[in-house]
Amino acid sequence: MNDLVGRYFDAAIAHLNRVRAEESDTIEAAAALLAEAITEGRRVFTFGAGHSSLPAQDVVYRAGGLVPMNLLNVPGMAGVTMMPAPLASALERVSGLATSTLDLTPATSGDLLFLISLSGRQVMPVELARYARDRGLKVIGVTSLAYPDEVPAAHPSGTYLKDHCDVVLDSKVAVGDGELTHPGAETSFGPVSTIVTSALMQAVVASAVGRLADRAAAGDAAAPPLFRSGNVPGGTEWNTKQMADNAERIFYTY
């Protein structure tokens, strides 16, 4: 195996193990909020800009995932679909976009928002978290707490995403998001933020599903609303029924 390949896998595995050990309490706190939202018939939203949208998308409308998970899809901010790509970064700095985004959804008090931003310093995640809480939503932030110690806030308030959340999941990704170096490369490379953040999101979902399934097994609640793979027999029909049963809690079929 190429040395850099081995170093990258070692770095990613070490980072996952660190987050597993150090974030277990916050993962369970987030899972408790998610399970509560599902039990109470609330909607759940996810948002991330740029590459932070990838973990947000990863838990929406997928096999093994919870049905009432909705992506806040702001045109130009999901992944790297905007052309030119730097325009997507510029949109993160536009004040007022966050409030308009939430106002155009059916989000109501008591709903839950997962807000993903590696640095947590830009205008969009800060304003979205603040406005969501003002409207009565619970906010779970997924960010790296390394950034506030080293990088100035871009929001005029001087605050970061971490300052406006009910629960903060710390990805512990270093500033710059590069785990590897090479004498011939002028900057670090080998990011692990997508791997780690996706793992955090899926861990929260897994724990929440376990909580819901425990209640169902005890006869205290219905089974958790989960998607099946559309590639297995009956999967498409299963998912159609799940979406019909949860129609008031989803808006990605609009």
Side-chain angles (χ1 to χ4, degrees):
M1 180 179 289
N2 180 290
D3 178 58
L4 284 173
V5 173
R7 284 168 55 195
Y8 180 78
F9 275 103
D10 287 344
I13 292 168
H15 211 102
L16 287 168
N17 282 331
R18 180 187 174 196
V19 169
R20 177 185 182 181
E22 297 179 12
E23 291 299 301
S24 59
D25 289 344
T26 52
I27 289 171
E28 292 303 330
L33 287 180
L34 177 55
E36 179 183 33
I38 299 297
T39 299
E40 294 181 353
R42 305 296 186 179
R43 296 182 185 88
V44 183
F45 299 89
T46 68
F47 175 81
H51 288 94
S52 290
S53 73
L54 302 179
Q57 295 178 58
D58 193 47
V59 294
V60 175
Y61 186 60
R62 69 165 302 157
L66 288 163
V67 176
M69 304 283 279
N70 300 277
L71 179 70
L72 292 184
N73 183 20
V74 181
M77 297 183 72
V80 287
T81 58
M82 175 62 75
M83 299 296 175
L87 182 55
S89 298
L91 287 173
E92 264 199 284
R93 301 190 289 270
V94 176
S95 181
L97 185 56
T99 54
S100 296
T101 295
L102 202 60
D103 283 343
L104 293 171
T105 73
T108 59
S109 179
D111 288 344
L112 179 63
L113 170 64
F114 285 87
L115 214 168
I116 302 168
S117 173
L118 179 59
S119 71
R121 64 184 290 270
Q122 292 295 347
V123 171
M124 182 69 177
V126 171
E127 289 193 352
L128 184 55
R130 291 173 64 174
Y131 188 53
R133 294 184 87 191
D134 286 346
R135 288 187 49 173
L137 278 74
K138 296 291 182 65
V139 177
I140 298 172
V142 190
T143 187
S144 170
L145 297 182
Y147 278 81
D149 292 334
E150 299 186 37
V151 185
H155 192 270
S157 68
T159 62
Y160 299 79
L161 170 60
K162 70 178 181 66
D163 301 312
H164 306 285
C165 299
D166 295 278
V167 175
V168 175
L169 296 169
D170 182 8
S171 67
K172 306 182 187 297
V173 172
V175 173
D177 194 14
E179 295 293 320
L180 303 177
T181 59
H182 189 285
E186 296 182 343
T187 188
S188 61
F189 56 100
V192 297
S193 59
T194 302
I195 293 172
V196 174
T197 306
S198 291
L200 277 168
M201 291 292 290
Q202 292 293 354
V204 170
V205 172
S207 178
V209 170
R211 291 166 182 260
L212 296 168
D214 285 343
R215 296 173 192 169
D220 297 328
L226 292 166
F227 283 115
R228 287 181 179 174
S229 172
N231 296 311
V232 301
T236 299
E237 293 77 12
W238 171 276
N239 293 335
T240 299
K241 184 178 185 305
Q242 289 292 316
M243 288 188 288
D245 290 346
N246 291 275
E248 293 185 357
R249 294 201 278 174
I250 60 178
F251 71 99
Y252 46 78
T253 58
Y254 287 10

